[in-house]
Amino acid sequence: MKAIFVLNGPNLDMLGIREPEIYGRETLADIAALCAQTAARLGLAVEFRQTNAEATMVEWLHEAYREDAAVICNPAGLSFFSVPVLDAVKILRTPYLEVHISNIHGRDEFHRHSMTATAAKGVICGFGSYGYVMALEALARQMPGK
Amino acid sequence: MKAIFVLNGPNLDMLGIREPEIYGRETLADIAALCAQTAARLGLAVEFRQTNAEATMVEWLHEAYREDAAVICNPAGLSFFSVPVLDAVKILRTPYLEVHISNIHGRDEFHRHSMTATAAKGVICGFGSYGYVMALEALARQMPGK
Amino acid sequence: MKAIFVLNGPNLDMLGIREPEIYGRETLADIAALCAQTAARLGLAVEFRQTNAEATMVEWLHEAYREDAAVICNPAGLSFFSVPVLDAVKILRTPYLEVHISNIHGRDEFHRHSMTATAAKGVICGFGSYGYVMALEALARQMPGK
Amino acid sequence: MKAIFVLNGPNLDMLGIREPEIYGRETLADIAALCAQTAARLGLAVEFRQTNAEATMVEWLHEAYREDAAVICNPAGLSFFSVPVLDAVKILRTPYLEVHISNIHGRDEFHRHSMTATAAKGVICGFGSYGYVMALEALARQMPGK
Amino acid sequence: MKAIFVLNGPNLDMLGIREPEIYGRETLADIAALCAQTAARLGLAVEFRQTNAEATMVEWLHEAYREDAAVICNPAGLSFFSVPVLDAVKILRTPYLEVHISNIHGRDEFHRHSMTATAAKGVICGFGSYGYVMALEALARQMPGK
Amino acid sequence: MKAIFVLNGPNLDMLGIREPEIYGRETLADIAALCAQTAARLGLAVEFRQTNAEATMVEWLHEAYREDAAVICNPAGLSFFSVPVLDAVKILRTPYLEVHISNIHGRDEFHRHSMTATAAKGVICGFGSYGYVMALEALARQMPGK
Amino acid sequence: MKAIFVLNGPNLDMLGIREPEIYGRETLADIAALCAQTAARLGLAVEFRQTNAEATMVEWLHEAYREDAAVICNPAGLSFFSVPVLDAVKILRTPYLEVHISNIHGRDEFHRHSMTATAAKGVICGFGSYGYVMALEALARQMPGK
Amino acid sequence: MKAIFVLNGPNLDMLGIREPEIYGRETLADIAALCAQTAARLGLAVEFRQTNAEATMVEWLHEAYREDAAVICNPAGLSFFSVPVLDAVKILRTPYLEVHISNIHGRDEFHRHSMTATAAKGVICGFGSYGYVMALEALARQMPGK
Amino acid sequence: MKAIFVLNGPNLDMLGIREPEIYGRETLADIAALCAQTAARLGLAVEFRQTNAEATMVEWLHEAYREDAAVICNPAGLSFFSVPVLDAVKILRTPYLEVHISNIHGRDEFHRHSMTATAAKGVICGFGSYGYVMALEALARQMPGK
Amino acid sequence: MKAIFVLNGPNLDMLGIREPEIYGRETLADIAALCAQTAARLGLAVEFRQTNAEATMVEWLHEAYREDAAVICNPAGLSFFSVPVLDAVKILRTPYLEVHISNIHGRDEFHRHSMTATAAKGVICGFGSYGYVMALEALARQMPGK
Amino acid sequence: MKAIFVLNGPNLDMLGIREPEIYGRETLADIAALCAQTAARLGLAVEFRQTNAEATMVEWLHEAYREDAAVICNPAGLSFFSVPVLDAVKILRTPYLEVHISNIHGRDEFHRHSMTATAAKGVICGFGSYGYVMALEALARQMPGK
Amino acid sequence: MKAIFVLNGPNLDMLGIREPEIYGRETLADIAALCAQTAARLGLAVEFRQTNAEATMVEWLHEAYREDAAVICNPAGLSFFSVPVLDAVKILRTPYLEVHISNIHGRDEFHRHSMTATAAKGVICGFGSYGYVMALEALARQMPGK
């Protein structure tokens, strides 16, 4: 069974602490557990990771390419100006789903326009941790490729 | 049992016909059926409507306000320059979820920035008709208000 | 005695409910009553209407043209991107006075620049429902044409 | 014999009255007559309509789609910010010809850039009512599809 | 009885002379008289002043703050780029009403966007000298604070 | 009989070869023949020319001024940044009609906004070579001056 | 003999000291002497003044209006954002000539676009102190009004 | 012992009163005392002044030039559009240090980009009244000229 | 005696005819005569030329370089987007004076910002044909190099 | 005794070598020593670090959060487009002071607007290495939290 | 043996003289010789030309099309606003290589964005005359078509 | 013999796989081999590296500085928003040559303007892997420093 990559970007390791009025009180461990449990329910395997490094994110996307794994990604602060991550997303042949915990459409000028989302298959934002569940379920129902 | 309003904007009555390379081959009737069936499964009531008129959309949002109904809306062409729809969304006390069939982040300059999404609780785009299912399920799991 | 048209745009039927921190607690019925009573005091007739539809607003402006009636208008959400309403305003030979309940100069990017105001004889904003009284009194004192 | 749709947008019912230094003294009835007479000469049927409502325009374009009719359209004030009309134009398989009575290239900032024209087969502007004749003749000479 | 400050900015001492096609033939003395007479009618005291100096305008606004006086102000040429006047307006706890003789919304690029109006309670423009009367009456009817 | 000037700008001598998916397969000789034949039918004389040089275009427009000839012009690449051609167009007292083979409204950022069209009497674009016929017929029906 | 007003704006009292690589080594006294001597040669009277205050500049322009005097003005730092000076210039019925010591077209973003120059009869820049002589001679040769 | 000029711009005389949530509760007298006491500690003389007038600020900067005095300046509202103050700063040969009480980088569009800061030796913002102390100490440690 | 080059750009051969409300009734021959007569008075030789061709203007500037001749130039429509002319101006070691008959600062968006003026020694605009006289006199008084 | 974090971004390890006309001749070791010595004088502990990696900077900011340490940061090249660093700064509850060696307000377009500074408590720029001392002293005097 | 066209735009005939700090001291003759010698070494024929005229450049590109010749072009000042040259480049079926002597990426706003480069196969800039050698060698190694 | 650094940025390890319609089918190993073989032919040593990390790229540039090595760099996705890489390039005293496999001038808005190229000695783009050979040969022919 091929795992789905669930990749999280910078500062998400501080979830629950970081601007809780925007991001809520749940921690990344809570989300990892939620994903594990959802994956179990759906019969999926999940590879859940977080990094603060652009390069690591790029390389995990390459790894997903090589393993032909679908990707659910919350690039967080890398969404807005990281051309390397955008370019890595474009390499994928599998679906790339982007998740944002907050509704970025309604945020400030630095957090409003996701550049990486331009290359996504689908984008979910504003649903908090539940957005990850939505993405997993979307993949479980076999949405065709990127 | 309070119904969820599922509101569809201009040209969605032409779904299946309209630019199928972007919007796919499903019709709005297919989506209505999908919503009905999803709602049945989730024990929800759904009020599914489509209009080509901004004023009607505004008034349905008022109606949702009065009936205290959650709203799932694909404003389609009204997303981009309709301040009346944006203002009507802001009146709601219930969750407003916006759905787009295509991933608008990756489209042309006229279809890229949804103004109504700035007032949404959550936004789902690029998942085709399945986006409606995702929104219904999100509501079924009792996400708190707008 | 020729009536003055007092025309109200989208969502104003929700006044008192809609974002009360911006628009206050008065309802449109209160404003209609205020206008009626002001008109009576000034010896004027008033035709007070509200619509959520751009086309209806356009046609009421045409009607005002044909009846040679002065117009007091709060185009609300139609102020910002409605070229049809702007064009209808430009047809008038009578004074067109624009009223906004809130001070739009101090609002967000979507509600700041009224396009229809560019064709007005005079603009009043930020005075709440009293702005309508001000406009009626201005007309009563026979301000010359558009 | 399949009719050609000749569709006219907001405020064109006020032609002859509306800003005559820009739009001239002819009325819409004059243009309808001119179209009828031109169509007769060319052996064409013409369906001539005017609306102030965006939704009606959208639906007439759908009707044209269903009847496989070519469209000559002067969207007037809907040309500039109406994504619903633009989207409806894109559905058509038949030629969509856009006509403007005045030369919009030389007008003010609100009337200069037609968004709907970006999806046209051909655009004619500045020729007054004669622009409709030009469009009809262009269709009569069997220009291939959109 | 606390006086209302009626403050006039640069070049308004030239009223009646200055671009009469825009500002009309009335002089500032006429407006002062009109204000005095209106104030008398309303039982108000008015402190009517004009200055060409930004610093004086700033200091009169400070004086209004100290005397807890409401302010009616036509900042004229200071409306557009004077951050010192804007900052002084923001200090006030009393209502600040901005009056413009012409409708600035319809003017050229240098006279269109009033920066000081962003901090106003209400704005009146395009009503000529009568705008001052409107502002005085608005204050007389005890509109609550800034 | 005064000739109508039909002037063609840079690269139009390569028509039929140049980006045929945009400009079609007809050559400029075909268009010249079409114009000649149309002129003959309409009882007009036509002076058909092409140049790659801005200066020549400017001087032909001067010549048209001196001969009091109407002008049909496809400035091609000179439409977008040539102030000399724009200035020469403005000198004309006769009608200046601009023709573009493709619909420039739908093209890329360098070919979208014709500066010379701002000074035109009428503009026709997207009709291929038939646009020239339309322009000639428009002149034949004696449209009044520029 | 009516005097010509030669008005100098902020920091010009520091000429010779202020950024000499841009403005040269001459002092304002040198320029005053040069103007006096030029005026004597031309049989003109000159009223030469300098101020660092916007309000004073505005009032000198009013004075010029009342005395029907032509104006040569180097508004210096007031050229770029002073609407009050622009408005005062527009009041004049006499010629207003603007002089800049340096060539402002080639300077940095804050010193490139003179707003007051938009209302000038003529503008001279880059000629150093000699620009004042040029302006005086231009007036001496009786150029007609503003 | 040469005094250091500590110059304060418009509205700073209202400190403690003016928008205390941004500027705090200290008054300008408190800051003057703090500067005097800091200067005494450092063996410096301080010339502490405040003005609401651009011209006065310009002239104080000239005076600083003539007295070869270093300048600590909080131009307040003059920071953003005053080219005269910018030009006066550029004349100085001594260090010009700019102090802002609030962190202007995080403020609204009118208070974000200090034009005068572009010509500063150093800029301190967001430290409240303590910013003046920092600037004095910086000078006391003999930082070399502008 | 080295001649001064007086170079005139596109459409100036139509002077007197071209938009006389902007450019006046004088012809280029009048200006040539005025220059000849001024040059004679000043003991200068003048080489007066006009071209509609950018390339010719470029080559005349090269010729001026080789002959070490000062240049007075009215680039007309080439001022605004011609990088070749700008580049040729930058080659000169002699003064380059730019003359515009109208005050371009007050004109429309296409004629407002002279790119070639950024490389000028001095710029004169708005003085009609007399601007050429001013430029010649400026050179006669031996202004130092470019 | 809780240490203050002094964090340095990319290329600061090359200080003394890197563009010395902008950044001076001091090395980062000199600055570390200066900080150590200042901290000793003030009775503070300092944790002085440099990294070229965005991720490391993000993680050091997290560490500062966990240790409740105040932060002095020169993000260098990360100031301008790094949303991850901005987001990490926003997590802090302790003061974040930003230091730039050069005055970034006066630099080129890529180095002018610090995005991370928008979330700072205070910003110091242009004081060279001494800026670090200023920041340490500011913290030593117990400025209250972020 | 088919010749390669090496085409040079405006002002390149002044190379060695023109702004040598940017373009160096070599002349165009030196570059022609360098190309001839490189071509000889590579067994290529070279057609080396220079023009100051846009039209000539356009026609040489047409000639290259007809002769099926590869093109190496330094459009110089025509790179930035010449749509005619851009359009001519697009006609080519052979490789079009653009060469700039200086690195245009680092130059001023008028010389930074080459419009013609958008249609190039490859671009070389900043290598001085050696850039031509690089382009010739690139062609010699048979890079496939445009 | 000092090695030339050939540095490759993010995602170039995926070459041959990544968007082959843009970047071609060659792998980075192919390019490394090509560089090795070219270097051997030219008698150069080459240090060929790839990284996905901005920090590593920055440090390799520092290493090149210390070893006084010339640099050939394809920063890939780091070209567009990485100020750290730009700053590191500016430190170099040796030539910095930038290579892009595709012609970035003709790509989308996120890949069009290389910020790092503004500090390059020379830029080569669009030549595929052969661009590296061109850069090596350019260095072999001893182009003088940065």
Side-chain angles (χ1 to χ4, degrees), chain J residues 58-90:
Chain J
V58 164
E59 286 164 6
W60 288 346
L61 289 162
H62 292 181
E63 186 182 339
Y65 170 82
R66 284 190 303 268
E67 304 197 5
D68 213 37
V71 176
I72 293 167
C73 184
N74 180 345
L78 296 171
S79 309
F80 307 104
F81 293 103
S82 174
V83 180
V85 174
L86 170 62
D87 288 347
V89 168
K90 285 178 155 170

Coordinates of all heavy atoms in Angstrom, one line a residue, chain J residues 58-90:
Chain J
V58 N 14.3 30.3 11.7 CA 12.9 30.0 12.2 C 13.0 29.2 13.5 O 12.4 29.6 14.4 CB 12.1 29.3 11.1 CG1 10.9 28.6 11.7 CG2 11.7 30.2 9.9
E59 N 13.9 28.2 13.5 CA 14.0 27.4 14.7 C 14.6 28.1 15.9 O 14.2 27.9 17.0 CB 14.7 26.1 14.3 CG 13.7 25.2 13.5 CD 14.4 24.1 12.7 OE1 15.6 23.8 12.9 OE2 13.7 23.4 11.9
W60 N 15.5 29.0 15.6 CA 16.1 29.8 16.7 C 15.0 30.7 17.3 O 15.0 30.9 18.5 CB 17.3 30.6 16.2 CG 18.5 29.7 16.0 CD1 18.7 28.5 16.4 CD2 19.7 30.1 15.3 NE1 20.0 28.0 16.0 CE2 20.6 29.0 15.3 CE3 20.1 31.3 14.7 CZ2 21.9 29.1 14.8 CZ3 21.4 31.4 14.1 CH2 22.3 30.3 14.1
L61 N 14.2 31.2 16.5 CA 13.1 32.0 17.0 C 12.1 31.2 17.8 O 11.6 31.6 18.8 CB 12.4 32.7 15.8 CG 13.2 33.9 15.1 CD1 12.6 34.2 13.8 CD2 13.2 35.1 16.0
H62 N 11.9 30.0 17.4 CA 11.0 29.0 18.2 C 11.7 28.8 19.5 O 11.1 28.8 20.6 CB 10.9 27.7 17.5 CG 10.1 27.8 16.2 ND1 9.8 26.7 15.5 CD2 9.5 28.8 15.6 CE1 9.0 27.0 14.4 NE2 8.8 28.3 14.5
E63 N 13.0 28.6 19.5 CA 13.8 28.3 20.7 C 13.7 29.5 21.7 O 13.5 29.4 22.9 CB 15.2 28.1 20.3 CG 16.1 27.6 21.5 CD 17.6 27.5 21.0 OE1 17.8 27.3 19.8 OE2 18.5 27.5 21.9
A64 N 13.8 30.7 21.1 CA 13.6 31.9 21.9 C 12.2 32.0 22.5 O 12.0 32.4 23.7 CB 13.8 33.2 21.0
Y65 N 11.2 31.6 21.7 CA 9.9 31.5 22.3 C 9.8 30.6 23.5 O 9.3 30.9 24.6 CB 8.9 31.0 21.2 CG 7.5 30.7 21.8 CD1 6.6 31.7 22.0 CD2 7.2 29.4 22.2 CE1 5.4 31.5 22.6 CE2 6.0 29.1 22.8 CZ 5.1 30.2 23.0 OH 3.9 29.9 23.6
R66 N 10.4 29.4 23.3 CA 10.3 28.4 24.4 C 11.1 28.9 25.6 O 10.7 28.6 26.8 CB 10.9 27.0 23.9 CG 9.9 26.3 23.0 CD 10.3 24.9 22.8 NE 11.6 24.9 22.1 CZ 11.9 24.9 20.8 NH1 10.9 24.9 20.0 NH2 13.1 24.9 20.4
E67 N 12.2 29.6 25.4 CA 13.1 30.0 26.5 C 12.6 31.4 27.0 O 13.2 32.0 27.9 CB 14.5 30.0 26.1 CG 15.0 28.7 25.6 CD 16.5 28.5 25.6 OE1 17.2 29.4 26.1 OE2 16.9 27.4 25.2
D68 N 11.6 31.9 26.4 CA 11.1 33.2 26.8 C 12.2 34.3 26.7 O 12.2 35.2 27.5 CB 10.5 33.1 28.2 CG 9.3 34.1 28.3 OD1 8.5 34.2 27.3 OD2 9.1 34.7 29.4
A69 N 13.0 34.2 25.7 CA 14.1 35.1 25.5 C 13.7 36.2 24.6 O 13.1 36.0 23.6 CB 15.3 34.4 25.0
A70 N 14.2 37.4 24.9 CA 14.1 38.6 24.0 C 15.0 38.3 22.8 O 15.9 37.6 22.9 CB 14.4 39.9 24.7
V71 N 14.6 38.9 21.7 CA 15.4 38.7 20.4 C 15.8 40.0 19.8 O 15.0 40.9 19.6 CB 14.5 37.9 19.4 CG1 15.3 37.7 18.1 CG2 14.2 36.5 20.0
I72 N 17.1 40.0 19.5 CA 17.7 41.1 18.6 C 18.0 40.4 17.4 O 18.8 39.4 17.4 CB 18.9 41.7 19.3 CG1 18.5 42.5 20.5 CG2 19.6 42.7 18.3 CD1 19.6 42.9 21.4
C73 N 17.5 40.8 16.2 CA 17.7 40.1 15.0 C 18.1 41.0 13.9 O 17.4 42.0 13.6 CB 16.5 39.3 14.7 SG 16.7 38.2 13.2
N74 N 19.1 40.6 13.1 CA 19.4 41.2 11.8 C 19.1 40.2 10.8 O 20.0 39.4 10.5 CB 20.9 41.7 11.8 CG 21.2 42.3 10.5 OD1 20.5 42.2 9.5 ND2 22.4 43.0 10.4
P75 N 17.9 40.1 10.2 CA 17.6 39.0 9.3 C 18.3 39.1 8.0 O 18.2 38.2 7.2 CB 16.1 39.2 9.1 CG 15.6 40.2 10.1 CD 16.8 41.0 10.5
A76 N 19.0 40.3 7.8 CA 19.7 40.5 6.5 C 18.8 40.1 5.3 O 17.7 40.6 5.3 CB 21.0 39.7 6.5
G77 N 19.3 39.4 4.4 CA 18.5 39.1 3.2 C 17.2 38.4 3.4 O 16.4 38.3 2.5
L78 N 17.0 37.8 4.6 CA 15.7 37.2 4.9 C 14.6 38.2 5.3 O 13.4 37.8 5.4 CB 15.8 36.2 6.0 CG 16.8 35.0 5.7 CD1 17.0 34.2 7.0 CD2 16.1 34.1 4.7
S79 N 15.0 39.5 5.4 CA 14.0 40.5 5.8 C 13.0 40.7 4.8 O 11.9 41.2 5.1 CB 14.7 41.8 6.0 OG 15.8 41.7 6.9
F80 N 13.3 40.5 3.5 CA 12.5 41.1 2.4 C 11.4 40.2 1.9 O 10.3 40.7 1.5 CB 13.4 41.6 1.4 CG 14.5 42.5 2.0 CD1 15.8 42.0 2.2 CD2 14.2 43.7 2.5 CE1 16.8 42.8 2.8 CE2 15.1 44.5 3.1 CZ 16.4 44.1 3.3
F81 N 11.6 38.9 1.8 CA 10.6 38.0 1.2 C 10.3 36.8 2.0 O 9.7 35.8 1.6 CB 11.0 37.6 -0.2 CG 11.0 38.7 -1.2 CD1 12.2 39.3 -1.6 CD2 9.8 39.2 -1.7 CE1 12.2 40.3 -2.5 CE2 9.8 40.2 -2.6 CZ 11.0 40.8 -3.0
S82 N 10.9 36.7 3.3 CA 10.7 35.4 4.0 C 9.5 35.5 4.9 O 9.5 35.9 6.0 CB 12.0 35.1 4.9 OG 11.7 34.0 5.7
V83 N 8.4 34.9 4.4 CA 7.2 34.8 5.2 C 7.4 33.8 6.4 O 7.0 34.0 7.5 CB 6.0 34.4 4.4 CG1 4.7 34.2 5.3 CG2 5.7 35.4 3.3
P84 N 8.2 32.7 6.2 CA 8.5 31.8 7.4 C 9.1 32.6 8.5 O 8.7 32.4 9.7 CB 9.4 30.8 6.8 CG 9.0 30.6 5.4 CD 8.7 32.1 5.0
V85 N 10.1 33.5 8.3 CA 10.7 34.2 9.4 C 9.7 35.2 10.0 O 9.6 35.3 11.2 CB 12.0 34.9 8.9 CG1 12.5 35.8 10.0 CG2 13.1 33.9 8.5
L86 N 9.0 35.9 9.1 CA 7.9 36.8 9.6 C 6.9 36.0 10.5 O 6.6 36.5 11.6 CB 7.1 37.4 8.4 CG 5.8 38.1 8.8 CD1 6.1 39.3 9.7 CD2 5.1 38.5 7.5
D87 N 6.5 34.8 10.1 CA 5.6 34.1 10.9 C 6.2 33.7 12.3 O 5.5 33.7 13.3 CB 5.1 32.8 10.1 CG 4.2 33.2 9.0 OD1 3.7 34.4 9.0 OD2 3.9 32.3 8.1
A88 N 7.5 33.3 12.2 CA 8.1 32.9 13.5 C 8.3 34.1 14.4 O 8.1 33.9 15.6 CB 9.5 32.3 13.1
V89 N 8.5 35.3 13.9 CA 8.6 36.5 14.7 C 7.3 36.7 15.4 O 7.2 37.1 16.6 CB 9.0 37.7 13.9 CG1 8.8 39.0 14.6 CG2 10.4 37.6 13.4
K90 N 6.2 36.5 14.7 CA 4.9 36.8 15.3 C 4.5 35.8 16.4 O 3.6 36.1 17.2 CB 3.8 36.6 14.2 CG 3.8 37.8 13.2 CD 2.8 37.6 12.2 CE 2.3 38.9 11.6 NZ 1.4 38.6 10.4

